Amino acid sequence: MAMAFKMATTGMNVTDECRNSFMEMKWKKVHRYIVFKIDERSKAVMVDKVGGPAASYDDLAASLPDDDCRYAVFDFDFVTVDNCQKSKIFFIAWAPSASRIRAKMLYATSKVGLRRVLEGVHYELQATDPTEMGFEVIKDRAK
């Protein structure tokens, strides 16, 4: 059943690995983040990199290329004002200005299909440079 999820708008597939890795992150907490990339030859969204439970947000930011688009999800743990441990999952659409126009268009049109597969995302960010997805932005959104 590989390549089960087809994105109608772009003809892009989302591999089972994408969904399975996301479920492992969401339920088993085995990944702090997952980076997804589009492979234009196979017309598929696939897992590019994962960060283990001890990985930081800085590790995620450092793993994103300066000149190509990616999608990422990050599991942000925090403590509320009334001292409750919480976790929120962020979806990040990374499209740096140095990336190719074709890549930006492909990632923009394929995002909805991937998001449909990733059930349980709390917040979404669009970022074209690191400041738009800085840790302070994440902390502020999660309140």
Side-chain angles (χ1 to χ4, degrees):
M1 191 171 114
M3 309 283 182
F5 307 98
K6 188 124 176 122
M7 293 188 214
T9 54
T10 59
M12 218 34 84
N13 291 304
V14 178
T15 63
D16 287 342
E17 183 190 16
C18 293
R19 182 175 202 189
N20 295 342
S21 296
F22 180 74
M23 290 308 196
E24 287 174 346
M25 182 179 103
K26 183 176 162 184
W27 298 113
K28 298 178 183 173
K29 303 289 187 187
V30 295
H31 310 302
R32 174 66 57 198
Y33 68 82
I34 306 167
V35 178
F36 304 98
K37 71 176 182 180
I38 292 176
D39 180 54
E40 292 185 45
R41 257 202 335 262
S42 64
K43 292 196 179 312
V45 179
M46 55 189 48
V47 173
D48 185 25
K49 299 174 185 158
V50 294
S56 71
Y57 189 71
D58 289 338
D59 296 332
L60 165 62
S63 75
L64 297 173
D66 295 333
D67 60 352
D68 201 5
C69 302
R70 290 292 186 272
Y71 305 116
V73 285
F74 180 75
D75 189 5
F76 177 60
D77 292 329
F78 62 101
V79 178
T80 64
V81 287
D82 47 349
N83 215 23
C84 289
Q85 186 70 37
K86 294 269 187 172
S87 175
K88 297 286 183 190
I89 297 175
F90 282 79
F91 177 89
I92 300 164
W94 173 248
S97 47
S99 51
R100 299 178 347 262
I101 297 289
R102 176 174 165 69
K104 289 179 190 177
M105 289 171 48
L106 194 57
Y107 275 78
T109 57
S110 301
K111 183 178 77 171
V112 172
L114 177 61
R115 285 280 282 116
R116 210 173 286 132
V117 172
L118 306 179
E119 296 173 26
V121 169
H122 300 101
Y123 301 103
E124 184 174 317
L125 292 174
Q126 301 270 118
T128 58
D129 72 64
T131 61
E132 294 175 350
M133 56 170 273
F135 192 65
E136 291 303 314
V137 174
I138 295 283
K139 281 182 9 188
D140 193 53
R141 290 286 291 279
K143 290 179 183 171

